[in-house]
Amino acid sequence: MIARLLRSEHVAGWLFVLPAVVLIGLFGIVPIGWSLLLSFQHNDLLTPPTWAGLDNYRLLNNDPVFRDSVRRTLVYTMLFVPISVAGSLAVAMLLHARIRFARFYRTAVFVPVATSTVATGIIFNWLLEPTYGVANYLLGEVGLGPYGFFQDPDQALYSIVAMTVWGWLGFDVIIFMAALQGIPNDLMEAAKLDGSGRWATFRRITLPLLSPATLFLIVWSTINALQVFDEIYVTTRGGPLQATTVLVYELFNQAFVFFHAGYAAAIAYVLFLATLVLSLVQLWIGRRSVYYTS
Amino acid sequence: MAGVLFDNLTKRFPGGAVAVDALTLEIADGELMVLVGPSGCGKSTALRMVAGLDDPSEGRILIGDRDVAGVSPAARDVAMVFQSYALYPHMTVRKNLAFPLQRRHLPRQQVKSRVAEVSEMLGLTELLDRRPAQLSGGQRQRVAMGRALSREPIVFLLDEPLSNLDAKLRAELRAELKQLHARVGTTMIYVTHDQVEAMTLGERIAVLDHGRLQQVGTPEQVYGRPCNLFVARFVGSPAMNVLPGPALGRPAGVVVGVRSESLKPRSELPGGLPLELVAEVVEPLGSDVYVHGQAAGTTVVARLAGSAQVSPGERLELAVAESDLHLFDEHSGARTS
Amino acid sequence: MNRHSLRLPFSPRHLVLLPLSLVMLLPLAWMLITSIETLSETRHFPPHLIPAGIHWRNYPDALDAAPFGRFFLNSTIVTLASVAGNLLFCSLAGYAFARLRFFGRDVLFVALLATLMVPFQVTMIPTFLIVHDLGLVNSLGALILPNLVTPFGIFLLRQFFRTLPIELEEAARIDGCSRLGVLFRVVLPLSMPALATLGIVTFLWTWNDFLWPLIVMSSTNEYTVQLGLASFQGAHDTKWPLLMAGNMMALAPMLIVFVVAQRWIVQSLAATGVKG
């Protein structure tokens, strides 16, 4: 009887998933709940925590530092997402052709994806160095600049946008190129015969057929943009004058520099909810305008 | 409406392959011409060049009396039905039919009425709000035709439109196509590898092999007087039997083609040339009996009356009339009589 | 509709693609050039676009200044362990979710998948506390253990397994194979593309991870490449040639892998997008 139970599919199934369940449970599910608990505590990671109720959240609501970090995050996101999605679509359309040097172009566009966020930050620190950096030199040759880039509070965030677009464009291009290759050539020829010019074909056939990929990239890029951290840590450290202190950077400071773990957890939950809501809104809008063809 | 002229048309692909070789063919205004041949014979390539999807390496194409070199596909006023139908998957049937009309910026009312007209003609009215994924193969085929029709082009091009369908549906749609052509009267160029389709559909058929035109004529002409061995064997099912000349009283160096239905029992054809067939496989089909066997050293198929009683291994005394012989040169394959 | 507009001898796409490619490659090229210059050269404005000579010393100097070898070793251990762990545990779990029927299967699957929705920033503080309680802070275990299996990998493999014909597995079971045996002898050999995708994506993600190592590691000896690089920058702030040399060394393996295995990597990244 026991032997039969042991050989049953139920036991087998649970044994198979056990490692995953234990690991994800311990490092995924438990922390999710614990984090919520933390957000209701005053906790400095060293001394025993005390109960805070909704204090952390109330503080968030009134904290101008927090609100500023949210504003900066939104500015960053609203620049990063359209630029990288639209830009990568344009690049993918250009690459989707049999031209000479296509492999070179593709490699050139993809290679920045291989650079880690840290390496990217270090490179751009040097590139955008106001006094000795080559960016100001080249811009000067065409009569622009010099710019402060990371060292100018008014330019720092935009410089981060440029840097991260550079680093991630290739990924989006890969996705779009795969989607473009999924469109049968027949359709393009039929459209030609139907009298559809280049722009009309793009607008009415290519774009709708790309819409699943486009939606994915918008949601994906938004989630990543809201969580940007690494590049900022390596370049501006949230400065100058907090100009690049985005939400996660503020979170990091609160948790591991000031040891306000409870407050940080509250910030994290706000981020979570905001990301969730934003993604759902995007997916809901997508439902009406995305054409799934299979 | 316009005729189409292929004038010494050649298409060479990079890498050296010659897909179409000096093709010269005239298609009359309003004619239903079928281009037929085995895979790779260049028929689809020729069709695509009429559409403007590929450019010729040499020679020209005239649609109407107009040399269409350098003219874009859209400006040629031709419509094409693709083998895969190429329906826009994200558009409803209605939008698929309307698309070419909208591209020509026709007024909305006209688009609406034309779509209604075409969908009625092809029995698509109930399907107008469905997407291609929700349609059967035959329905998709009709939508593809409808999209081509709605534009009222001067030439219709069809690239193996029925090959993705099952046999029964194919026969049905073949008949519908023929009726459609009779009704609409536009010049149609139809490409297929299936010689049965070619024979039943075409007003004239053009047989191609390796990019070269082998023969053009009515189905009767091509069947009754094939101009070379290739055509003789390609057209007609079962394929024409080919026997060495001496077996039927002809000199060496000449091969003789005999259609399976030309072989009759000697008793019925006392004046005919005799031929002995050793039966191997007998296929009774009710109306006919196909006997596969050996005669004059080669495999031969004879089509006998349905009442014939034949068993495997039997020696059949058959004969063929002189007038039913097709003589070809053994080396060149060209017809000698 | 056929006006003879400006006819270039080449496709106009090149007019955009070429400058774009140069812009994409410029930062990397500049890093390389700087890494072979002397410090005084870099403190010169306008910068020399072509270096005066090749000052290789920067590389051994960088190796002296920070234990890059150690960083590489740490990263390699952590990455290989993560990849191996993921391939193993995600296969087991993915197979169970795809083919086995057990109590609570669907609820469990949705629960695991739901954790994907939660950003890392939510879980990182408690995870730190858990790792601390396990005594793993500042050890490689802290980097490996939380990333041994991911719901993304489970999802990916489950979806793939479901596309395989089940008859093969049924035949194997009839032939006397255990369920585990079916997985390892029949299913996994047929799942190479999906396993490769998971392996490559896990590899890229683990190698480039920064925030978690930043939180949980405190001594230089245990730093991964990314962490080591960041602290290296902190220590040698304006010694640009040195920094760039260090950066080059840290990047080179990944760049080489990328250029060589480009097709594989592109396919893997594309697959993740298609699966959403």
Side-chain angles (χ1 to χ4, degrees), chain A residues 98-256:
Chain A
R98 251 181 265 133
I99 52 174
R100 267 180 298 171
F101 311 134
R103 284 179 83 199
F104 165 71
Y105 293 140
R106 260 181 277 148
T107 309
V109 170
F110 293 165
V111 158
V113 177
T115 59
S116 66
T117 50
V118 175
T120 305
I122 294 178
I123 294 174
F124 273 77
N125 264 341
W126 172 226
L127 217 63
L128 301 181
E129 220 278 331
T131 324
Y132 302 111
V134 73
N136 267 336
Y137 168 65
L138 292 173
L139 289 169
E141 294 289 291
V142 293
L144 295 167
Y147 296 105
F149 295 119
F150 289 144
Q151 296 180 13
D152 182 335
D154 294 322
Q155 297 173 5
L157 196 61
Y158 304 113
S159 309
I160 303 273
V161 172
M163 172 175 69
T164 48
V165 167
W166 178 88
W168 288 108
L169 195 76
F171 175 75
D172 294 15
V173 171
I174 291 175
I175 304 287
F176 272 132
M177 283 194 72
L180 277 172
Q181 277 156 19
I183 300 180
N185 208 28
D186 280 10
L187 291 184
M188 297 292 122
E189 292 184 334
K192 251 197 237 178
L193 282 161
D194 282 343
S196 187
R198 280 232 202 98
W199 179 250
T201 306
F202 177 72
R203 237 198 88 200
R204 289 174 196 277
I205 299 177
T206 310
L207 215 51
L209 290 175
L210 284 178
S211 51
T214 311
L215 181 65
F216 166 73
L217 282 175
I218 291 178
V219 173
W220 177 261
S221 301
T222 306
I223 293 175
N224 281 322
L226 292 173
Q227 297 173 9
V228 65
F229 173 81
D230 294 7
E231 292 92 333
I232 295 179
Y233 184 88
V234 175
T235 53
T236 57
R237 284 294 172 98
L241 301 178
Q242 277 85 49
T244 57
T245 302
V246 293
L247 202 146
V248 175
Y249 199 85
E250 177 66 18
L251 204 173
F252 179 80
N253 271 340
Q254 291 295 331
F256 299 107

Side-chain angles (χ1 to χ4, degrees), chain A residues 185-197 200-201 204-206 208-209 291-294, chain B residues 48 51 53 73-74 78 80 82 84 86-91 99-100 102-104 131 133 147 151:
Chain A
N185 208 28
D186 280 10
L187 291 184
M188 297 292 122
E189 292 184 334
K192 251 197 237 178
L193 282 161
D194 282 343
S196 187
T201 306
R204 289 174 196 277
I205 299 177
T206 310
L209 290 175
Y291 299 95
Y292 292 102
T293 56
S294 53
Chain B
R48 287 170 60 86
L53 297 171
V78 300
M80 184 149 156
F82 292 80
S84 67
L87 297 180
Y88 305 121
H90 58 295
M91 296 187 195
F99 188 75
Q102 291 167 332
R103 290 306 98 226
R104 277 162 171 64
R131 295 257 179 92
R147 192 176 65 186
R151 289 171 41 199

